[in-house]
Amino acid sequence: MNQSSESTTKSVFEGEDTIIKVRDLHTYFYTDLGISRALNGVNLEIPRGKVMGVVGESGCGKSVTALSIMRMVAKPGKIVQGDITFFRKDKKKNDAIEEINLTKLEGMGPEMRSIRGAQMSMIFQEPMTSLNPSYTIGDQIMEAIILHQNVDKVEAERRAVEILDGVGMANPSLIVKRYPHELSGGMRQRAMISLALSCTPAVLFADEPTTALDVTTEAQILDLMRDLQKRIDMSIVFITHNLGVVAQMCDYVTVMYLGRVVEQATIDDTFYNPMHPYTSSLLRSIPHVGSHQKDRLKPIRGVVPDPYSKVKGCPFHPRCDKAMRGLCDVKVPGLTVVGKSHTVRCFLHSDVEEESTYVQ
Amino acid sequence: MINYIFRRIGYMMVTLAIIAVLGYLIVELPPGSYLEFEIARLRQQGGNVSQDQIKALEIRYGLNDPTYVRFFKWITGFVRGDFGESFQYRQEVKDLIGQRLAFTISISVFSLLLAWGIAVPVGVYSATHRNTIPDYIITVIQFLGLSIPSFLVALVLMVVAQRVFGQQVGGLFSDEFQNAPWSFARFIDLLKHLWIPIVVIAFGSTAGLSRIMRANLLDVLGMQYVQTARSKGLKENKVIWKHAVKNAMHPLIMILGGSLPGIISGETVVAIVMNIPTVGPMYFNAQLNQDLYLAATFLMFLSILGVLGNLLADIALAWVDPRIRFE
Ligand SMILES: Nc1ncnc2c1ncn2[C@@H]1O[C@H](COP(=O)(O)OP(=O)(O)OP(=O)(O)O)[C@@H](O)[C@H]1O
Ligand code: SF4
Ligand SMILES: [Mg+2]
């Protein structure tokens, strides 16, 4: 942990300040079936105070990326390689930035635990199961507050009520006494958001937070998250399958394929100037406003290879319409900056290649 | 919560009433009871004395009354603490069973505590260290524990106690303390004898309980709220014990509620093998010999214990699971 220079926090996203930088991250699961290479050299940057969407087909490693950064990957999973750097801003010290290499910390050790829940927190897809059925909403929120903020029970409860009020929960002083099963799905997700925000984190990982909710409730929760993000000035990493939600919520987008990041760009570039063929096909596979009825949706050809096997060359080449024989099936493209706030991993846009010829 | 407990006590009373009726009928039903045998004997003797005795018996046990009147006499007596007389022993049932019940209850409670005290931590350990060598070793021991019959464990322990520790085994007291008044030395002597039945009875259930604990905890550890607890920055120990174990206890507590019959029958085997004066062997004999009041009294006490166990389990369950409280 040392004071960082200006240059290390400078982002690929122009005008942004990086809060988390992930370099060449490999997270594997050692299962009975073999080694599942869930993350295979993830490179990405999370801009401070902005909302970044993470998209990609099921199994591409979105959740594992978030869990790896939170250092919550549990056995049989393990981070085997790479660096995660957290640029922690200390408001008490004149916004001085401290650089912490999270991969060097022990996942369940005291330093990491003092960051987790306080500096970064997470909300999950299933509001029905993400709160403990045996404790009241208040107890669960207060537990985090007492752990990180050094206050007594009375004060913790007062703050819990205040936070619940802040997420638009009706009757917050009654809700703290309620158990999760007494609340609706939308209320539980609000409670979960309160829990995650109880210590005003700098980064919030939201792993498909609205997938399980009905459309109306989803819209309310999205509004709320946008609103809170501005109020607290935090970064949100918004994991989703729903590109419509991305368009509505995000400033930047990270596209993942098979345990790697294939493209990072601003929201406009992602929708109007996608460079990676995989991003383009993701966009073609969703309906969008203004598209003609006769334009058929195109599902992406082929299936994601299973993460236990190795693919030679660009991992997307078996499914790519633009694959170049003799190049894409032999060499692995490297992630390169191709424009303002835009990085991509594809030979169509750069000839940078990686040393190894196998991705998995 | 108070409502919930009162409702449970209400159910408990109804259950006991049904057991009392059925139990009495079943014990009385087969012909050829001790009493009939006794009356036949007195008839043969003939004479006035015998006639008077028969009269007295008939009046005391209401032999000429219909069954429901006799049941009513018995149950009202039972509630007042008059359990009737044992035909076999020619003694008041009250005087016969007191000490035995005390031994049975203490052996059951201690072996339950021992079984739980071992099973819960072992189950938690093997779930949190799944597929490591210690987990494999624990698994092997558990399967041995499940497959070895308790009388064999009792015999082995008796041999070990006698050969290795030079202890006198069987019974509850060594000869010198058998009829001695209560003293600290006598109490220690009692413990020396009691540990074997306690260990034997705990042995079988520990294996099963820890297996169940492991399986449940593995399920719970996969739940999202365990990740939520970790994401707060809690210590792993707190994540496991506060957030996971509490939710993995339900099946164990439900088993606890129904475990008394199993303990009594396990206790019977061990008590017979080890010659310990507990409820089991005497109840078994009373049933065999149709000793009506003795058998019915045992049945009632065991049922009361069983139902009480269930009540305690229900209360414990409501404590760990708020969803039950609000049913
Ligand atoms: N506990 C685990 N054990 C074994 N493999 C795992 C485990 N968790 C994740 N993986 C593997 O890691 C890969 C990435 O999983 P991850 O959950 O990150 O996908 P995802 O992008 O979040 O997908 P989804 O959109 O379905 O949530 C998957 O191929 C999965 O098989
Ligand atoms: S590198 Fe080749 S195969 Fe891979 S996405 Fe680009 S064009 Fe397609
Ligand atoms: Mg996921």
Side-chain angles (χ1 to χ4, degrees):
Chain A
M1 303 186 191
N2 27 33
Q3 297 299 88
S4 73
S5 60
E6 254 304 289
S7 64
T8 45
T9 71
K10 197 152 174 287
S11 171
V12 294
F13 300 121
E14 276 202 4
E16 301 293 355
D17 178 19
T18 298
I19 187 162
I20 286 172
K21 188 180 221 162
V22 177
R23 281 287 157 260
D24 195 30
L25 185 64
H26 292 248
T27 301
Y28 296 171
F29 288 86
Y30 297 85
T31 68
D32 295 338
L33 295 172
I35 301 173
S36 166
R37 295 172 176 80
L39 301 187
N40 240 300
V42 166
N43 288 300
L44 64 81
E45 288 184 19
I46 302 171
R48 192 185 299 276
K50 291 283 149 67
V51 182
M52 186 177 81
V54 178
V55 296
E57 280 160 297
S58 192
C60 68
K62 303 181 295 291
S63 301
V64 173
T65 302
L67 291 173
S68 299
I69 298 173
M70 295 276 287
R71 294 302 318 275
M72 277 168 49
V73 175
K75 266 197 240 171
K78 196 174 179 259
I79 296 178
V80 290
Q81 193 182 319
D83 289 303
I84 302 164
T85 318
F86 173 42
F87 300 93
R88 178 184 186 156
K89 200 181 229 177
D90 198 336
K91 291 204 178 76
K92 287 190 201 100
K93 288 187 202 147
N94 218 356
D95 283 356
I97 285 181
E98 186 189 7
E99 199 178 315
I100 306 170
N101 188 338
L102 300 184
T103 32
K104 294 259 160 27
L105 303 181
E106 210 175 302
M108 279 294 153
E111 296 105 327
M112 195 59 226
R113 280 190 291 103
S114 73
I115 293 173
R116 191 163 49 226
Q119 294 289 321
M120 39 176 92
S121 54
M122 188 158 180
I123 51 183
F124 304 96
Q125 175 175 351
E126 281 294 334
M128 292 318 207
T129 55
S130 50
L131 291 163
N132 192 325
S134 298
Y135 297 97
T136 60
I137 303 295
D139 280 344
Q140 298 187 53
I141 298 176
M142 282 155 62
E143 190 178 30
I145 296 176
I146 291 170
L147 185 68
H148 294 292
Q149 299 185 5
N150 199 17
V151 296
D152 63 11
K153 263 192 111 154
V154 180
E155 172 63 12
E157 178 159 346
R158 199 192 58 74
R159 291 191 194 181
V161 171
E162 194 179 293
I163 298 162
L164 283 169
D165 194 36
V167 301
M169 189 84 96
N171 287 326
S173 47
L174 284 178
I175 294 291
V176 287
K177 304 242 156 35
R178 294 274 175 268
Y179 288 91
H181 71 272
E182 301 175 271
L183 272 55
S184 70
M187 285 163 93
R188 286 189 215 191
Q189 201 59 302
R190 279 176 204 270
M192 189 63 216
I193 291 173
S194 309
L195 171 57
L197 300 188
S198 58
C199 301
T200 53
V203 190
L204 174 70
F205 294 91
D207 193 350
E208 307 189 38
T210 58
T211 311
L213 304 175
D214 65 77
V215 186
T216 321
T217 318
E218 172 172 44
Q220 290 168 353
I221 297 285
L222 292 178
D223 273 353
L224 172 69
M225 290 185 67
R226 246 317 190 179
D227 179 44
L228 289 168
Q229 186 264 331
K230 294 221 179 69
R231 248 196 282 163
I232 304 180
D233 190 28
M234 63 181 165
S235 311
I236 296 183
V237 175
F238 201 100
I239 299 173
T240 180
H241 288 276
N242 189 335
L243 287 167
V245 170
V246 169
Q248 194 184 333
M249 287 288 294
C250 303
D251 305 303
Y252 297 95
V253 180
T254 297
V255 182
M256 290 187 69
Y257 185 76
L258 215 60
R260 324 187 103 192
V261 171
V262 293
E263 184 163 7
Q264 271 204 297
T266 62
I267 183 80
D268 287 348
D269 278 353
T270 306
F271 282 94
Y272 300 114
N273 183 26
M275 288 191 167
H276 199 281
Y278 178 63
T279 312
S280 312
S281 42
L282 268 185
L283 289 169
R284 275 200 304 274
S285 71
I286 55 154
H288 38 152
V289 188
S291 66
H292 296 288
Q293 286 263 302
K294 57 180 187 290
D295 291 348
R296 306 250 329 264
L297 291 179
K298 280 197 189 146
I300 305 175
R301 180 166 62 84
V303 290
V304 191
D306 74 88
Y308 297 99
S309 57
K310 289 187 176 232
V311 179
K312 192 173 185 187
C314 171
F316 190 54
H317 88 259
R319 302 171 73 189
C320 181
D321 293 332
K322 301 194 173 137
M324 295 163 278
R325 278 264 193 97
L327 178 63
C328 298
D329 52 355
V330 199
K331 290 176 175 162
V332 180
L335 194 69
T336 31
V337 180
V338 287
K340 218 170 139 189
S341 305
H342 204 152
T343 56
V344 72
R345 190 192 275 281
C346 173
F347 286 130
L348 291 175
H349 306 284
S350 118
D351 47 18
V352 176
E353 59 183 76
E354 299 212 333
E355 287 158 28
S356 76
T357 53
Y358 283 97
V359 163
Q360 307 215 5
Chain B
M1 187 75 181
I2 301 286
N3 264 337
Y4 171 83
I5 293 175
F6 275 119
R7 216 168 49 223
R8 291 285 134 169
I9 292 178
Y11 293 154
M12 190 175 113
M13 292 302 173
V14 175
T15 314
L16 284 177
I18 294 172
I19 291 175
V21 174
L22 288 181
Y24 188 85
L25 285 180
I26 290 169
V27 178
E28 201 200 40
L29 209 55
S33 73
Y34 235 81
L35 197 57
E36 283 168 22
F37 175 74
E38 183 68 14
I39 290 173
R41 193 179 62 84
L42 289 172
R43 283 234 166 79
Q44 261 180 359
Q45 283 182 355
N48 277 340
V49 184
S50 321
Q51 281 307 322
D52 289 349
Q53 281 180 329
I54 292 174
K55 267 261 144 45
L57 282 175
E58 276 176 357
I59 291 169
R60 168 142 199 205
Y61 296 112
L63 284 186
N64 299 323
D65 294 337
T67 307
Y68 72 90
V69 174
R70 269 181 287 151
F71 168 75
F72 195 71
K73 274 188 180 164
W74 170 71
I75 195 71
T76 46
F78 186 92
V79 176
R80 276 182 279 114
D82 172 15
F83 306 142
E85 188 181 312
S86 159
F87 307 137
Q88 242 179 313
Y89 297 89
R90 292 181 175 282
Q91 249 181 27
E92 284 293 314
V93 169
K94 201 178 0 181
D95 303 330
L96 270 174
I97 64 168
Q99 224 187 13
R100 284 179 180 255
L101 261 180
F103 282 133
T104 295
I105 291 174
S106 47
I107 289 179
S108 312
V109 169
F110 279 119
S111 44
L112 267 181
L113 287 179
L114 184 67
W116 274 59
I118 297 172
V120 171
V122 166
V124 171
Y125 181 90
S126 52
T128 51
H129 295 75
R130 182 167 50 143
N131 299 342
T132 59
I133 290 178
D135 179 34
Y136 294 140
I137 295 175
I138 289 170
T139 304
V140 171
I141 298 176
Q142 283 165 335
F143 279 111
L144 286 178
L146 283 175
S147 47
I148 298 177
S150 58
F151 74 87
L152 193 64
V153 181
L155 288 175
V156 170
L157 280 184
M158 281 163 81
V159 170
V160 169
Q162 198 156 30
R163 292 277 157 81
V164 181
F165 300 112
Q167 267 184 25
Q168 192 188 359
V169 292
L172 279 173
F173 296 104
S174 312
D175 292 340
E176 63 266 37
F177 289 108
Q178 197 66 56
N179 294 311
W182 275 108
S183 65
F184 187 66
R186 191 171 190 248
F187 177 68
I188 295 294
D189 187 60
L190 176 66
L191 281 190
K192 277 188 189 161
H193 285 80
L194 270 190
W195 74 266
I196 297 182
I198 289 172
V199 168
V200 170
I201 294 163
F203 185 77
S205 52
T206 306
L209 285 174
S210 55
R211 242 10 248 169
I212 295 166
M213 187 69 213
R214 179 185 187 273
N216 285 313
L217 190 58
L218 281 179
D219 279 352
V220 172
L221 285 175
M223 303 297 278
Q224 193 65 76
Y225 56 77
V226 175
Q227 284 285 42
T228 303
R230 286 206 183 94
S231 78
K232 291 182 194 176
L234 292 174
K235 284 194 178 129
E236 186 65 9
N237 258 341
K238 203 152 192 194
V239 172
I240 303 279
W241 286 94
K242 182 171 172 192
H243 288 271
V245 173
K246 193 173 175 193
N247 287 299
M249 293 299 276
H250 306 202
L252 238 62
I253 294 172
M254 292 212 246
I255 290 172
L256 177 68
S259 62
L260 199 83
I263 287 185
I264 299 289
S265 61
E267 179 260 334
T268 306
V269 173
V270 177
I272 292 174
V273 172
M274 296 189 61
N275 184 28
I276 301 172
T278 62
V279 164
M282 194 183 239
Y283 179 41
F284 183 67
N285 272 324
Q287 291 277 21
L288 268 187
N289 297 318
Q290 289 221 319
D291 194 343
L292 175 60
Y293 293 100
L294 187 57
T297 309
F298 273 137
L299 181 71
M300 280 315 285
F301 270 106
L302 294 181
S303 310
I304 291 171
L305 282 180
V307 175
L308 266 182
N310 264 317
L311 177 71
L312 290 181
D314 279 346
I315 293 174
L317 211 55
W319 175 69
V320 298
D321 187 351
R323 279 167 296 193
I324 293 174
R325 253 175 267 166
F326 295 98
E327 243 170 32

